[in-house]
Amino acid sequence: MLSMRLVEQPAPAGSRDVDQLVSWLLDTLEFVRRSGDDWTGEGVHSPIHRILCEYMLKQPGQGWDAQTLGDELGLSPTAIQYQLGKLNECGLTAAVNRDGWRVHHLRNGSLSNAVEMMANEARLVLEQRLRMLEGWMKESDLRMNIPSEKKDEGQFQIQIRGRAPLLEGQDELDAFLLDLGLLGDRVRRPADGSPPLGRLMFEHLLNAHTPLSLDEALDQWGTTRPRLTRTLDRFRAAGLVERIPRIDRLPVTLWSALHSQHDRRGSDWLMKKGGLSRIDEKVAKKIIKALDGGTFNVESCEKIFVSVEPKEQMVLLNLLGGKLPIGWRLCGAKSGQVCEKVLAKADRTFRRIKRVAETLEKAIQVD
């Protein structure tokens, strides 16, 4: 059954070094998971790196069993079998039985063919898994009222795994979240048997009409901010969720910042250093008049700023020392729109893998 991870990496532009290209490929498929850059000694590569470089890529039409590779690399057949199993699961290699041994080889006799087959199969599995959103996600045009931020492009990271039979006590949504890696590597299930935090938050986003902020999440689930942020960022990395400024809360945030600075520093400071001089003079005078008269509230703030662009309001808020809350929401009003965005990011990563595979084959032929 297909099981792989995709982690988007910057394309190795111009590089024709075989070791660098293979390392990029392994990093993109997250075969070698590491926490820092100094993960190997000088010139020492992981076993899976050596299997590809020294055997499968140099002789793509041949096959090897775990015993032979273990003798060559100085590792036990069990350790080699584990590495070969990861290559088989992602779809780069396959295995056939020969004289009682499992012989492993690149699919269809070349890296470019193997990558093409892997990409097609993985995309199909991902598309089929994402179709499940149609039955769970509530359509809402109101959800997309706030424009998306074009710069909110984090590193794409997703797990793609075919559906397996459900475990006891598991439903389709649990399997979906696990197959796409949305619950993390270590799923923390509460002692009382209630659903994990990731599921609760994802269910909320499926039915929400407005973005979810950290403050709202804290009130609802009562855990720590870092844990909530990690959960939401996993959804965002997979392309299902996007992060946006809570422009709908601008009036409240501006009112609080203006009121606070007026009480501390007065009207003159607001007009000169507080940023009111950057907006229309009539609007600024209305604000000062309301503040001095004690009639400045959230409703009047919203009415006064109705003619000011949201970007200008955010600049003013920044000058006042305020901070606009960030919200998370599903990246589409309908399930089809969410699926398209996730698949587009996966396709972009697969295109890079195909280009690197072709470059690798040319570099090996030259050597």
Side-chain angles (χ1 to χ4, degrees):
M1 183 177 68
L2 178 78
S3 179
M4 66 181 301
R5 293 175 181 267
L6 276 184
V7 180
E8 189 176 33
Q9 306 283 345
S15 175
R16 290 189 174 272
D17 181 81
V18 173
D19 285 330
Q20 288 184 5
L21 293 173
V22 171
S23 294
W24 182 92
L25 183 63
L26 296 178
D27 287 343
T28 300
L29 297 175
E30 210 175 35
F31 283 134
V32 182
R33 307 185 70 184
R34 58 184 189 269
S35 58
D37 293 332
D38 300 328
W39 60 282
T40 61
E42 295 189 16
V44 178
H45 296 288
S46 64
I48 200 167
H49 187 287
R50 294 185 62 192
I51 289 171
L52 285 175
C53 278
E54 299 175 19
Y55 299 95
M56 292 190 172
L57 295 182
K58 284 189 175 180
Q59 302 178 63
Q62 301 298 315
W64 292 268
D65 59 71
Q67 183 67 53
T68 302
L69 290 174
D71 292 342
E72 294 288 338
L73 298 174
L75 296 171
S76 68
T78 304
I80 292 295
Q81 191 62 49
Y82 172 73
Q83 304 295 338
L84 293 172
K86 291 196 292 185
L87 289 170
N88 287 345
E89 283 183 349
C90 82
L92 271 182
T93 63
V96 294
N97 289 320
R98 294 279 173 83
D99 300 325
W101 291 95
R102 295 284 287 173
V103 177
H104 301 264
H105 60 95
L106 284 175
R107 295 174 76 183
N108 271 10
S110 73
L111 180 62
S112 56
N113 287 344
V115 164
E116 185 176 5
M117 294 178 70
M118 176 194 72
N120 290 339
E121 183 181 0
R123 191 190 191 280
L124 180 60
V125 169
L126 180 60
E127 183 179 5
Q128 291 175 348
R129 298 302 283 140
L130 289 172
R131 286 178 195 163
M132 301 294 294
L133 290 173
E134 186 176 353
W136 301 324
M137 181 176 168
K138 184 177 292 185
E139 293 186 6
S140 173
D141 292 328
L142 183 62
R143 180 185 295 127
M144 305 305 292
N145 273 356
I146 301 175
S148 300
E149 290 282 305
K150 293 182 179 180
K151 295 181 180 179
D152 185 48
E153 281 287 336
Q155 183 188 47
F156 178 62
Q157 181 173 353
I158 196 169
Q159 178 176 289
I160 304 173
R161 189 166 64 193
R163 184 190 180 282
L166 298 178
L167 300 173
E168 185 179 353
Q170 190 181 59
D171 62 9
E172 290 291 350
L173 183 55
D174 286 328
F176 175 86
L177 295 171
L178 287 169
D179 290 342
L180 297 189
L182 300 179
L183 297 181
D185 296 327
R186 292 171 288 184
V187 182
R188 295 172 59 182
R189 292 189 176 276
D192 59 2
S194 58
L197 176 65
R199 173 176 175 137
L200 295 175
M201 297 183 73
F202 195 73
E203 284 182 322
H204 175 90
L205 293 170
L206 287 171
N207 295 289
H209 297 285
T210 57
L212 174 69
S213 67
L214 280 181
D215 291 337
E216 294 166 343
L218 276 171
D219 291 340
Q220 188 160 351
W221 293 294
T223 184
T224 61
R225 282 178 177 269
R227 189 179 172 203
L228 291 169
T229 304
R230 285 196 302 270
T231 302
L232 290 166
D233 282 345
R234 274 199 300 271
F235 301 159
R236 178 170 166 250
L240 292 161
V241 168
E242 61 185 3
R243 190 174 61 185
I244 57 167
R246 290 293 302 270
I247 296 177
D248 56 320
R249 293 178 63 175
L250 257 176
V252 177
T253 315
L254 269 174
W255 167 81
S256 176
L258 284 166
H259 211 284
S260 176
Q261 294 292 7
H262 180 265
D263 291 344
R264 291 177 185 174
R265 299 174 177 176
S267 301
D268 290 340
W269 184 89
L270 286 177
M271 287 299 297
K272 294 175 182 178
K273 295 184 178 181
L276 289 182
S277 59
R278 298 175 63 95
I279 63 176
D280 184 73
E281 187 178 353
K282 293 181 180 178
V283 174
K285 287 182 177 179
K286 287 182 181 179
I287 295 169
I288 295 299
K289 183 178 179 181
L291 283 167
D292 291 340
T295 59
F296 191 67
N297 53 35
V298 177
E299 291 76 14
S300 62
C301 180
E302 189 171 3
K303 290 179 182 178
I304 291 172
F305 279 100
V306 71
S307 61
V308 181
E309 290 292 326
K311 286 186 178 180
E312 293 184 27
Q313 294 183 43
M314 286 190 279
V315 171
L316 175 60
L317 181 62
N318 187 51
L319 292 171
L320 290 168
K323 187 177 181 181
L324 187 65
I326 297 296
W328 284 262
R329 68 180 180 192
L330 291 175
C331 59
K334 302 177 181 179
S335 61
Q337 296 171 348
V338 177
C339 294
E340 286 178 9
K341 291 185 178 181
V342 176
L343 289 172
K345 292 184 176 183
D347 288 340
R348 182 175 63 196
T349 305
F350 285 132
R351 284 195 299 269
R352 291 179 183 175
I353 294 175
K354 289 177 182 179
R355 286 198 299 268
V356 169
E358 292 170 359
T359 305
L360 252 174
E361 289 183 330
K362 293 176 183 177
I364 290 172
Q365 288 174 2
V366 171
D367 290 345

mmCIF file of all heavy atoms in Angstrom, residues 37-75:
data_model
loop_
_atom_site.group_PDB
_atom_site.id
_atom_site.type_symbol
_atom_site.label_atom_id
_atom_site.label_comp_id
_atom_site.label_asym_id
_atom_site.label_seq_id
_atom_site.Cartn_x
_atom_site.Cartn_y
_atom_site.Cartn_z
ATOM 1 N N ASP A 37 21.205 20.494 10.481
ATOM 2 C CA ASP A 37 21.919 20.346 9.228
ATOM 3 C C ASP A 37 23.067 19.355 9.322
ATOM 4 O O ASP A 37 23.423 18.704 8.357
ATOM 5 C CB ASP A 37 22.464 21.710 8.765
ATOM 6 C CG ASP A 37 21.330 22.656 8.394
ATOM 7 O OD1 ASP A 37 20.271 22.149 7.986
ATOM 8 O OD2 ASP A 37 21.512 23.876 8.539
ATOM 9 N N ASP A 38 23.698 19.243 10.488
ATOM 10 C CA ASP A 38 24.856 18.349 10.639
ATOM 11 C C ASP A 38 24.396 16.945 10.992
ATOM 12 O O ASP A 38 24.545 16.471 12.106
ATOM 13 C CB ASP A 38 25.793 18.889 11.738
ATOM 14 C CG ASP A 38 26.306 20.275 11.405
ATOM 15 O OD1 ASP A 38 26.472 20.543 10.209
ATOM 16 O OD2 ASP A 38 26.515 21.052 12.337
ATOM 17 N N TRP A 39 23.810 16.289 10.004
ATOM 18 C CA TRP A 39 23.210 14.990 10.256
ATOM 19 C C TRP A 39 24.108 13.841 9.839
ATOM 20 O O TRP A 39 23.813 12.696 10.118
ATOM 21 C CB TRP A 39 21.874 14.891 9.522
ATOM 22 C CG TRP A 39 21.963 15.034 8.034
ATOM 23 C CD1 TRP A 39 22.109 16.184 7.331
ATOM 24 C CD2 TRP A 39 21.900 13.992 7.067
ATOM 25 N NE1 TRP A 39 22.150 15.930 5.995
ATOM 26 C CE2 TRP A 39 22.016 14.592 5.801
ATOM 27 C CE3 TRP A 39 21.751 12.607 7.149
ATOM 28 C CZ2 TRP A 39 21.991 13.867 4.630
ATOM 29 C CZ3 TRP A 39 21.719 11.885 5.975
ATOM 30 C CH2 TRP A 39 21.836 12.516 4.742
ATOM 31 N N THR A 40 25.190 14.107 9.120
ATOM 32 C CA THR A 40 26.125 13.051 8.752
ATOM 33 C C THR A 40 27.527 13.528 9.029
ATOM 34 O O THR A 40 27.791 14.715 9.168
ATOM 35 C CB THR A 40 26.027 12.713 7.249
ATOM 36 O OG1 THR A 40 26.360 13.872 6.495
ATOM 37 C CG2 THR A 40 24.642 12.236 6.878
ATOM 38 N N GLY A 41 28.455 12.570 9.077
ATOM 39 C CA GLY A 41 29.852 12.947 9.167
ATOM 40 C C GLY A 41 30.346 13.392 7.805
ATOM 41 O O GLY A 41 29.598 13.435 6.828
ATOM 42 N N GLU A 42 31.610 13.709 7.698
ATOM 43 C CA GLU A 42 32.145 14.209 6.443
ATOM 44 C C GLU A 42 32.223 13.070 5.427
ATOM 45 O O GLU A 42 32.939 12.095 5.590
ATOM 46 C CB GLU A 42 33.533 14.811 6.672
ATOM 47 C CG GLU A 42 33.488 16.045 7.565
ATOM 48 C CD GLU A 42 34.821 16.747 7.592
ATOM 49 O OE1 GLU A 42 35.646 16.466 6.710
ATOM 50 O OE2 GLU A 42 35.028 17.569 8.494
ATOM 51 N N GLY A 43 31.456 13.223 4.348
ATOM 52 C CA GLY A 43 31.467 12.234 3.278
ATOM 53 C C GLY A 43 30.730 10.951 3.605
ATOM 54 O O GLY A 43 30.759 10.016 2.804
ATOM 55 N N VAL A 44 30.058 10.883 4.738
ATOM 56 C CA VAL A 44 29.332 9.672 5.122
ATOM 57 C C VAL A 44 27.848 9.899 4.862
ATOM 58 O O VAL A 44 27.271 10.863 5.341
ATOM 59 C CB VAL A 44 29.558 9.326 6.607
ATOM 60 C CG1 VAL A 44 28.763 8.083 6.992
ATOM 61 C CG2 VAL A 44 31.032 9.124 6.871
ATOM 62 N N HIS A 45 27.258 8.996 4.096
ATOM 63 C CA HIS A 45 25.844 9.137 3.761
ATOM 64 C C HIS A 45 25.035 8.024 4.405
ATOM 65 O O HIS A 45 25.562 6.989 4.797
ATOM 66 C CB HIS A 45 25.661 9.111 2.241
ATOM 67 C CG HIS A 45 26.308 10.270 1.542
ATOM 68 N ND1 HIS A 45 25.810 11.546 1.624
ATOM 69 C CD2 HIS A 45 27.407 10.338 0.753
ATOM 70 C CE1 HIS A 45 26.581 12.360 0.918
ATOM 71 N NE2 HIS A 45 27.563 11.654 0.389
ATOM 72 N N SER A 46 23.735 8.250 4.469
ATOM 73 C CA SER A 46 22.838 7.254 5.065
ATOM 74 C C SER A 46 22.776 6.016 4.177
ATOM 75 O O SER A 46 23.069 6.068 2.975
ATOM 76 C CB SER A 46 21.445 7.865 5.221
ATOM 77 O OG SER A 46 20.908 8.170 3.949
ATOM 78 N N PRO A 47 22.372 4.862 4.753
ATOM 79 C CA PRO A 47 22.284 3.634 3.948
ATOM 80 C C PRO A 47 21.378 3.770 2.733
ATOM 81 O O PRO A 47 21.709 3.278 1.645
ATOM 82 C CB PRO A 47 21.728 2.612 4.950
ATOM 83 C CG PRO A 47 22.167 3.112 6.282
ATOM 84 C CD PRO A 47 22.140 4.603 6.181
ATOM 85 N N ILE A 48 20.250 4.462 2.897
ATOM 86 C CA ILE A 48 19.324 4.584 1.768
ATOM 87 C C ILE A 48 19.935 5.434 0.653
ATOM 88 O O ILE A 48 19.713 5.197 -0.536
ATOM 89 C CB ILE A 48 17.970 5.159 2.252
ATOM 90 C CG1 ILE A 48 16.883 4.832 1.238
ATOM 91 C CG2 ILE A 48 18.046 6.660 2.516
ATOM 92 C CD1 ILE A 48 15.491 5.074 1.782
ATOM 93 N N HIS A 49 20.745 6.412 1.021
ATOM 94 C CA HIS A 49 21.472 7.233 0.046
ATOM 95 C C HIS A 49 22.458 6.364 -0.736
ATOM 96 O O HIS A 49 22.549 6.449 -1.974
ATOM 97 C CB HIS A 49 22.196 8.354 0.786
ATOM 98 C CG HIS A 49 22.847 9.364 -0.111
ATOM 99 N ND1 HIS A 49 23.988 9.103 -0.829
ATOM 100 C CD2 HIS A 49 22.519 10.659 -0.389
ATOM 101 C CE1 HIS A 49 24.342 10.166 -1.505
ATOM 102 N NE2 HIS A 49 23.464 11.127 -1.251
ATOM 103 N N ARG A 50 23.189 5.508 -0.046
ATOM 104 C CA ARG A 50 24.178 4.648 -0.702
ATOM 105 C C ARG A 50 23.503 3.590 -1.577
ATOM 106 O O ARG A 50 23.999 3.245 -2.649
ATOM 107 C CB ARG A 50 25.055 3.989 0.357
ATOM 108 C CG ARG A 50 25.933 4.985 1.130
ATOM 109 C CD ARG A 50 26.859 4.266 2.087
ATOM 110 N NE ARG A 50 27.781 3.384 1.341
ATOM 111 C CZ ARG A 50 28.547 2.472 1.930
ATOM 112 N NH1 ARG A 50 28.492 2.314 3.251
ATOM 113 N NH2 ARG A 50 29.350 1.728 1.210
ATOM 114 N N ILE A 51 22.368 3.068 -1.128
ATOM 115 C CA ILE A 51 21.643 2.074 -1.943
ATOM 116 C C ILE A 51 21.271 2.679 -3.294
ATOM 117 O O ILE A 51 21.425 2.041 -4.345
ATOM 118 C CB ILE A 51 20.392 1.589 -1.195
ATOM 119 C CG1 ILE A 51 20.797 0.712 -0.005
ATOM 120 C CG2 ILE A 51 19.467 0.803 -2.121
ATOM 121 C CD1 ILE A 51 19.635 0.354 0.920
ATOM 122 N N LEU A 52 20.774 3.912 -3.264
ATOM 123 C CA LEU A 52 20.385 4.562 -4.520
ATOM 124 C C LEU A 52 21.599 4.911 -5.372
ATOM 125 O O LEU A 52 21.655 4.592 -6.563
ATOM 126 C CB LEU A 52 19.561 5.820 -4.214
ATOM 127 C CG LEU A 52 18.122 5.607 -3.752
ATOM 128 C CD1 LEU A 52 17.483 6.933 -3.370
ATOM 129 C CD2 LEU A 52 17.287 4.925 -4.830
ATOM 130 N N CYS A 53 22.573 5.586 -4.767
ATOM 131 C CA CYS A 53 23.718 6.091 -5.541
ATOM 132 C C CYS A 53 24.609 4.971 -6.080
ATOM 133 O O CYS A 53 24.989 4.981 -7.252
ATOM 134 C CB CYS A 53 24.563 7.027 -4.676
ATOM 135 S SG CYS A 53 23.935 8.699 -4.589
ATOM 136 N N GLU A 54 24.957 4.021 -5.226
ATOM 137 C CA GLU A 54 25.971 3.028 -5.584
ATOM 138 C C GLU A 54 25.411 1.813 -6.303
ATOM 139 O O GLU A 54 26.168 1.062 -6.916
ATOM 140 C CB GLU A 54 26.712 2.590 -4.316
ATOM 141 C CG GLU A 54 27.445 3.734 -3.620
ATOM 142 C CD GLU A 54 28.076 3.308 -2.303
ATOM 143 O OE1 GLU A 54 28.253 2.071 -2.105
ATOM 144 O OE2 GLU A 54 28.392 4.186 -1.475
ATOM 145 N N TYR A 55 24.091 1.629 -6.258
ATOM 146 C CA TYR A 55 23.543 0.410 -6.855
ATOM 147 C C TYR A 55 22.408 0.718 -7.831
ATOM 148 O O TYR A 55 22.551 0.524 -9.038
ATOM 149 C CB TYR A 55 23.058 -0.544 -5.744
ATOM 150 C CG TYR A 55 24.192 -0.962 -4.841
ATOM 151 C CD1 TYR A 55 24.451 -0.297 -3.649
ATOM 152 C CD2 TYR A 55 25.037 -2.009 -5.193
ATOM 153 C CE1 TYR A 55 25.494 -0.657 -2.830
ATOM 154 C CE2 TYR A 55 26.096 -2.387 -4.380
ATOM 155 C CZ TYR A 55 26.321 -1.707 -3.201
ATOM 156 O OH TYR A 55 27.381 -2.056 -2.406
ATOM 157 N N MET A 56 21.287 1.195 -7.333
ATOM 158 C CA MET A 56 20.094 1.281 -8.177
ATOM 159 C C MET A 56 20.217 2.306 -9.300
ATOM 160 O O MET A 56 19.726 2.074 -10.404
ATOM 161 C CB MET A 56 18.876 1.582 -7.312
ATOM 162 C CG MET A 56 18.505 0.425 -6.400
ATOM 163 S SD MET A 56 16.926 0.638 -5.584
ATOM 164 C CE MET A 56 16.724 -0.986 -4.826
ATOM 165 N N LEU A 57 20.861 3.446 -9.037
ATOM 166 C CA LEU A 57 20.983 4.458 -10.082
ATOM 167 C C LEU A 57 22.093 4.120 -11.071
ATOM 168 O O LEU A 57 21.997 4.454 -12.258
ATOM 169 C CB LEU A 57 21.230 5.831 -9.459
ATOM 170 C CG LEU A 57 20.079 6.397 -8.605
ATOM 171 C CD1 LEU A 57 20.423 7.776 -8.086
ATOM 172 C CD2 LEU A 57 18.778 6.446 -9.396
ATOM 173 N N LYS A 58 23.134 3.459 -10.612
ATOM 174 C CA LYS A 58 24.223 3.086 -11.516
ATOM 175 C C LYS A 58 23.828 1.924 -12.419
ATOM 176 O O LYS A 58 24.281 1.836 -13.560
ATOM 177 C CB LYS A 58 25.468 2.725 -10.710
ATOM 178 C CG LYS A 58 26.193 3.933 -10.142
ATOM 179 C CD LYS A 58 27.540 3.544 -9.548
ATOM 180 C CE LYS A 58 28.307 4.789 -9.094
ATOM 181 N NZ LYS A 58 29.636 4.435 -8.516
ATOM 182 N N GLN A 59 22.992 1.020 -11.905
ATOM 183 C CA GLN A 59 22.535 -0.124 -12.697
ATOM 184 C C GLN A 59 21.015 -0.226 -12.555
ATOM 185 O O GLN A 59 20.496 -1.108 -11.879
ATOM 186 C CB GLN A 59 23.198 -1.409 -12.210
ATOM 187 C CG GLN A 59 24.720 -1.372 -12.257
ATOM 188 C CD GLN A 59 25.330 -2.641 -11.711
ATOM 189 O OE1 GLN A 59 25.134 -3.733 -12.264
ATOM 190 N NE2 GLN A 59 26.064 -2.527 -10.612
ATOM 191 N N PRO A 60 20.282 0.684 -13.200
ATOM 192 C CA PRO A 60 18.838 0.764 -12.981
ATOM 193 C C PRO A 60 18.058 -0.461 -13.449
ATOM 194 O O PRO A 60 16.939 -0.693 -13.001
ATOM 195 C CB PRO A 60 18.431 2.008 -13.781
ATOM 196 C CG PRO A 60 19.502 2.190 -14.785
ATOM 197 C CD PRO A 60 20.762 1.710 -14.142
ATOM 198 N N GLY A 61 18.648 -1.238 -14.342
ATOM 199 C CA GLY A 61 17.935 -2.415 -14.823
ATOM 200 C C GLY A 61 18.153 -3.653 -13.984
ATOM 201 O O GLY A 61 17.556 -4.706 -14.257
ATOM 202 N N GLN A 62 19.003 -3.581 -12.974
ATOM 203 C CA GLN A 62 19.325 -4.738 -12.146
ATOM 204 C C GLN A 62 18.494 -4.739 -10.859
ATOM 205 O O GLN A 62 17.828 -3.757 -10.520
ATOM 206 C CB GLN A 62 20.819 -4.714 -11.779
ATOM 207 C CG GLN A 62 21.742 -4.735 -12.983
ATOM 208 C CD GLN A 62 21.569 -5.994 -13.812
ATOM 209 O OE1 GLN A 62 21.496 -7.097 -13.277
ATOM 210 N NE2 GLN A 62 21.483 -5.840 -15.133
ATOM 211 N N GLY A 63 18.570 -5.881 -10.129
ATOM 212 C CA GLY A 63 17.876 -5.994 -8.851
ATOM 213 C C GLY A 63 18.806 -6.530 -7.783
ATOM 214 O O GLY A 63 19.809 -7.198 -8.093
ATOM 215 N N TRP A 64 18.505 -6.253 -6.519
ATOM 216 C CA TRP A 64 19.353 -6.679 -5.393
ATOM 217 C C TRP A 64 18.478 -7.186 -4.256
ATOM 218 O O TRP A 64 17.388 -6.653 -4.008
ATOM 219 C CB TRP A 64 20.207 -5.520 -4.876
ATOM 220 C CG TRP A 64 21.262 -5.077 -5.840
ATOM 221 C CD1 TRP A 64 22.555 -5.505 -5.923
ATOM 222 C CD2 TRP A 64 21.108 -4.124 -6.890
ATOM 223 N NE1 TRP A 64 23.213 -4.885 -6.945
ATOM 224 C CE2 TRP A 64 22.347 -4.018 -7.571
ATOM 225 C CE3 TRP A 64 20.042 -3.348 -7.347
ATOM 226 C CZ2 TRP A 64 22.550 -3.183 -8.650
ATOM 227 C CZ3 TRP A 64 20.239 -2.515 -8.423
ATOM 228 C CH2 TRP A 64 21.495 -2.437 -9.063
ATOM 229 N N ASP A 65 18.986 -8.187 -3.561
ATOM 230 C CA ASP A 65 18.299 -8.676 -2.370
ATOM 231 C C ASP A 65 18.956 -8.078 -1.126
ATOM 232 O O ASP A 65 20.058 -7.522 -1.190
ATOM 233 C CB ASP A 65 18.315 -10.202 -2.307
ATOM 234 C CG ASP A 65 19.734 -10.768 -2.303
ATOM 235 O OD1 ASP A 65 20.421 -10.614 -1.284
ATOM 236 O OD2 ASP A 65 20.147 -11.340 -3.334
ATOM 237 N N ALA A 66 18.292 -8.199 -0.003
ATOM 238 C CA ALA A 66 18.765 -7.574 1.234
ATOM 239 C C ALA A 66 20.089 -8.158 1.692
ATOM 240 O O ALA A 66 20.934 -7.439 2.237
ATOM 241 C CB ALA A 66 17.701 -7.730 2.322
ATOM 242 N N GLN A 67 20.303 -9.454 1.480
ATOM 243 C CA GLN A 67 21.543 -10.082 1.917
ATOM 244 C C GLN A 67 22.739 -9.525 1.165
ATOM 245 O O GLN A 67 23.777 -9.190 1.755
ATOM 246 C CB GLN A 67 21.456 -11.604 1.702
ATOM 247 C CG GLN A 67 22.674 -12.372 2.192
ATOM 248 C CD GLN A 67 22.807 -12.325 3.708
ATOM 249 O OE1 GLN A 67 21.866 -12.656 4.433
ATOM 250 N NE2 GLN A 67 23.960 -11.908 4.205
ATOM 251 N N THR A 68 22.614 -9.407 -0.154
ATOM 252 C CA THR A 68 23.715 -8.881 -0.975
ATOM 253 C C THR A 68 24.047 -7.443 -0.588
ATOM 254 O O THR A 68 25.217 -7.088 -0.400
ATOM 255 C CB THR A 68 23.346 -8.943 -2.471
ATOM 256 O OG1 THR A 68 23.049 -10.294 -2.817
ATOM 257 C CG2 THR A 68 24.478 -8.425 -3.330
ATOM 258 N N LEU A 69 23.018 -6.608 -0.466
ATOM 259 C CA LEU A 69 23.245 -5.204 -0.096
ATOM 260 C C LEU A 69 23.822 -5.103 1.318
ATOM 261 O O LEU A 69 24.678 -4.254 1.584
ATOM 262 C CB LEU A 69 21.941 -4.415 -0.193
ATOM 263 C CG LEU A 69 21.403 -4.170 -1.604
ATOM 264 C CD1 LEU A 69 20.026 -3.514 -1.547
ATOM 265 C CD2 LEU A 69 22.357 -3.296 -2.412
ATOM 266 N N GLY A 70 23.366 -5.971 2.213
ATOM 267 C CA GLY A 70 23.882 -5.944 3.575
ATOM 268 C C GLY A 70 25.358 -6.280 3.631
ATOM 269 O O GLY A 70 26.132 -5.646 4.364
ATOM 270 N N ASP A 71 25.771 -7.268 2.833
ATOM 271 C CA ASP A 71 27.193 -7.634 2.789
ATOM 272 C C ASP A 71 28.035 -6.500 2.226
ATOM 273 O O ASP A 71 29.148 -6.229 2.703
ATOM 274 C CB ASP A 71 27.382 -8.895 1.941
ATOM 275 C CG ASP A 71 26.769 -10.127 2.600
ATOM 276 O OD1 ASP A 71 26.524 -10.075 3.827
ATOM 277 O OD2 ASP A 71 26.505 -11.113 1.883
ATOM 278 N N GLU A 72 27.529 -5.819 1.192
ATOM 279 C CA GLU A 72 28.280 -4.736 0.555
ATOM 280 C C GLU A 72 28.392 -3.514 1.465
ATOM 281 O O GLU A 72 29.423 -2.847 1.510
ATOM 282 C CB GLU A 72 27.607 -4.351 -0.765
ATOM 283 C CG GLU A 72 27.645 -5.420 -1.839
ATOM 284 C CD GLU A 72 29.026 -5.590 -2.430
ATOM 285 O OE1 GLU A 72 29.827 -4.636 -2.329
ATOM 286 O OE2 GLU A 72 29.317 -6.667 -2.988
ATOM 287 N N LEU A 73 27.310 -3.213 2.168
ATOM 288 C CA LEU A 73 27.273 -1.985 2.984
ATOM 289 C C LEU A 73 27.666 -2.218 4.436
ATOM 290 O O LEU A 73 27.779 -1.262 5.214
ATOM 291 C CB LEU A 73 25.864 -1.368 2.932
ATOM 292 C CG LEU A 73 25.374 -0.925 1.542
ATOM 293 C CD1 LEU A 73 23.921 -0.475 1.609
ATOM 294 C CD2 LEU A 73 26.242 0.199 0.999
ATOM 295 N N GLY A 74 27.851 -3.468 4.821
ATOM 296 C CA GLY A 74 28.237 -3.754 6.198
ATOM 297 C C GLY A 74 27.113 -3.585 7.192
ATOM 298 O O GLY A 74 27.340 -3.220 8.351
ATOM 299 N N LEU A 75 25.865 -3.820 6.742
ATOM 300 C CA LEU A 75 24.703 -3.713 7.614
ATOM 301 C C LEU A 75 23.962 -5.042 7.629
ATOM 302 O O LEU A 75 24.115 -5.871 6.727
ATOM 303 C CB LEU A 75 23.762 -2.597 7.135
ATOM 304 C CG LEU A 75 24.319 -1.170 7.172
ATOM 305 C CD1 LEU A 75 23.353 -0.229 6.470
ATOM 306 C CD2 LEU A 75 24.550 -0.719 8.601
#
